[in-house]
Amino acid sequence: MNRLRFLLLLIPFALLFLFPSSAKAQGLLVPPKEETIEAVITTVKNEKTIQMDGKEQLQQTLQLLVTDGSIKGKNITIENGAMPMSNVQKYKVGDKVIITATKDFSGKDIYFIQDYIRRDSLYWLFLLFLIVAVVIGLRRGMLALVGMAFSFLIIFTFILPQISAGRDPIFIAILASIVIVPVTFFLSHGINRKTVSAIIGTFIALIITGIIASIFVEAARLTGFSSEEAGFLQNEMHGQINIRGLLLAGIIVSVLGILDDIAVSQASVVYQLKNLSPNLDHRELFLRAMDVGRDHIASVVNTLVLVYTGAAMPLLLLFINSPRPFGQVINHEVIAEEIIRTLVASIGLILAVPITTLLSTFLLKVKTKK
């Protein structure tokens, strides 16, 4: 079994060999014209409120020490809030920030603050996540972390490079799913009939979800350009990426993560019921497992809607205050895309419950006959 898990981990490297990225070969990586450096604010020389375009705006004169980059160790001065801005950050001594360094037409150095440095807090939060997963999940928690690392490996070394190289996003997403699902499922839940049931149920539900997503993305005439990032990507990659295919690939990958929870949980219910009541016939076993599955459906679908709503809260607030009628509001592509994404994912989740339950019951029936 350990040898099998080792072989599963070798799959991504085989994919990289079969599908090498050609982004560099095509000359798509253009060196930046400006440099991004890091600095820490050492002094707030001046701070006042000024009138800018008819409203009050904060203005600060900051002195910073560059901590990383080609001019590391140099002291620089930046005027924060010198131009009209909708939201001027108030910086204080000790703040670590990212600076964009460039030059004007005369060759004079220009610096402006791009953002805060947040990675320290992210590292601490990730460490807390690891501790909680290992302490509570024990061995299975550790294996789940290995599976998570494997998924990230596939995403950043296979999915993203292949799509960047111009290959079909849908094909790449499906191919990656075929690799991610069995490897992560077997690592997290062991090599057994329960996991096999969950894997098959996930694939069937994923195929149905992909078909439904394709139909309604086409029916709604979604282009995939509802976000600014899609437009930037299209320009940066010179139009070689299928943006609509990228939208479908994103739906497939996002549904894949949720199906993991549904399929494994439902398969576990079936096998636990059978262990507790060996005399249950398979029809009764299916019906009782479906009772539990319906509760799972109700909670997960509601959670899914709330997650998408929380992620799009600023956008929803803009539209809720719009004088336009509801029918026109949901007609905007950015809203329609989220609605289709949520409903398609919900349909996939709901279908995964009876599919996985039926498969688990069938495999138990075959085992009983043998």
Side-chain angles (χ1 to χ4, degrees):
M1 186 175 295
N2 290 331
R3 289 183 178 179
L4 179 57
R5 287 178 177 173
F6 176 74
L7 290 174
L8 290 173
L9 291 175
L10 292 178
I11 293 177
F13 300 102
L15 288 174
L16 291 175
F17 178 77
L18 293 173
F19 296 89
S21 175
S22 58
K24 291 183 179 180
Q26 295 176 2
L28 297 178
L29 297 181
V30 181
K33 297 180 180 179
E34 54 190 28
E35 183 183 4
T36 299
I37 59 179
E38 298 180 4
V40 59
I41 298 174
T42 56
T43 308
V44 179
K45 291 184 176 181
N46 186 26
E47 182 175 299
K48 60 183 178 180
T49 301
I50 61 173
Q51 289 291 327
M52 188 78 69
D53 288 347
K55 64 177 182 178
E56 292 186 346
Q57 179 171 301
L58 176 68
Q59 187 178 51
Q60 294 175 301
T61 303
L62 307 172
Q63 185 170 353
L64 304 92
L65 174 64
V66 179
T67 57
D68 184 57
S70 62
I71 56 172
K72 181 178 179 181
K74 181 179 179 180
N75 288 300
I76 60 175
T77 301
I78 294 179
E79 292 290 338
N80 178 43
M83 300 177 62
M85 299 175 65
S86 60
N87 182 29
V88 179
Q89 294 292 328
K90 183 177 181 178
Y91 296 101
K92 60 182 185 296
V93 175
D95 285 344
K96 299 177 180 180
V97 292
I98 297 175
I99 306 294
T100 298
T102 185
K103 295 180 182 295
D104 60 15
F105 291 106
S106 63
K108 181 182 177 181
D109 292 327
I110 300 176
Y111 307 101
F112 59 88
I113 299 177
Q114 180 178 329
D115 207 344
Y116 287 100
I117 295 178
R118 301 185 176 91
R119 60 172 175 266
D120 291 342
S121 58
L122 299 179
Y123 292 156
W124 282 110
L125 180 59
F126 182 68
L127 179 61
L128 178 62
F129 164 71
L130 293 179
I131 293 172
V132 171
V134 173
V135 170
I136 297 179
L138 299 178
R139 181 174 175 272
R140 288 192 177 184
M142 294 179 65
L143 290 174
L145 291 175
V146 174
M148 181 189 71
F150 177 83
S151 297
F152 273 111
L153 182 67
I154 292 293
I155 291 171
F156 286 99
T157 63
F158 178 69
I159 297 180
L160 298 180
Q162 294 304 314
I163 294 177
S164 295
R167 295 188 174 91
D168 182 20
I170 301 175
F171 171 73
I172 295 299
I174 293 174
L175 186 60
S177 301
I178 293 174
V179 176
I180 290 175
V181 169
V183 173
T184 55
F185 278 39
F186 283 137
L187 283 173
S188 301
H189 310 290
I191 302 173
N192 48 54
R193 290 175 181 268
K194 176 190 73 175
T195 309
V196 171
S197 303
I199 290 173
I200 299 175
T202 297
F203 278 136
I204 295 175
L206 194 63
I207 291 171
I208 297 174
T209 303
I211 294 173
I212 295 174
S214 299
I215 292 172
F216 283 94
V217 165
E218 177 64 31
R221 299 294 190 270
L222 296 183
T223 63
F225 286 97
S226 61
S227 64
E228 292 182 357
E229 293 83 358
F232 292 148
L233 180 64
Q234 187 76 343
N235 291 331
E236 188 71 20
M237 306 303 291
H238 308 290
Q240 72 170 6
I241 293 183
N242 180 359
I243 300 297
R244 177 180 285 186
L246 189 62
L247 170 62
L248 286 170
I251 293 175
I252 292 172
V253 173
S254 62
V255 171
L256 180 61
I258 310 170
L259 286 175
D260 183 346
D261 176 41
I262 288 286
V264 172
S265 299
Q266 200 59 27
S268 297
V269 167
V270 173
Y271 281 84
Q272 288 297 327
L273 284 174
K274 188 64 176 177
N275 290 335
L276 291 173
S277 303
N279 296 326
L280 277 178
D281 61 64
H282 295 90
R283 180 177 180 276
E284 184 68 17
L285 178 62
F286 175 80
L287 294 176
R288 292 195 179 188
M290 280 300 299
D291 285 338
V292 179
R294 292 186 184 97
D295 290 334
H296 204 181
I297 288 173
S299 61
V300 172
V301 168
N302 185 52
T303 301
L304 189 66
V305 172
L306 293 177
V307 167
Y308 279 122
T309 301
M313 189 70 74
L315 180 64
L316 294 177
L317 285 173
L318 284 176
F319 282 105
I320 202 67
N321 294 319
S322 173
R324 298 180 180 180
F326 179 75
Q328 291 184 10
V329 170
I330 64 172
N331 194 62
H332 288 277
E333 181 168 356
V334 65
I335 296 292
E337 183 178 307
E338 293 303 322
I339 292 175
I340 290 177
R341 191 191 304 273
T342 303
L343 293 179
V344 166
S346 300
I347 292 171
L349 291 175
I350 294 171
L351 292 176
V353 172
I355 291 172
T356 307
T357 305
L358 189 62
L359 281 169
S360 302
T361 307
F362 175 75
L363 289 179
L364 278 173
K365 184 177 181 180
V366 172
K367 180 183 179 182
T368 303
K369 286 182 178 182
K370 287 184 179 180

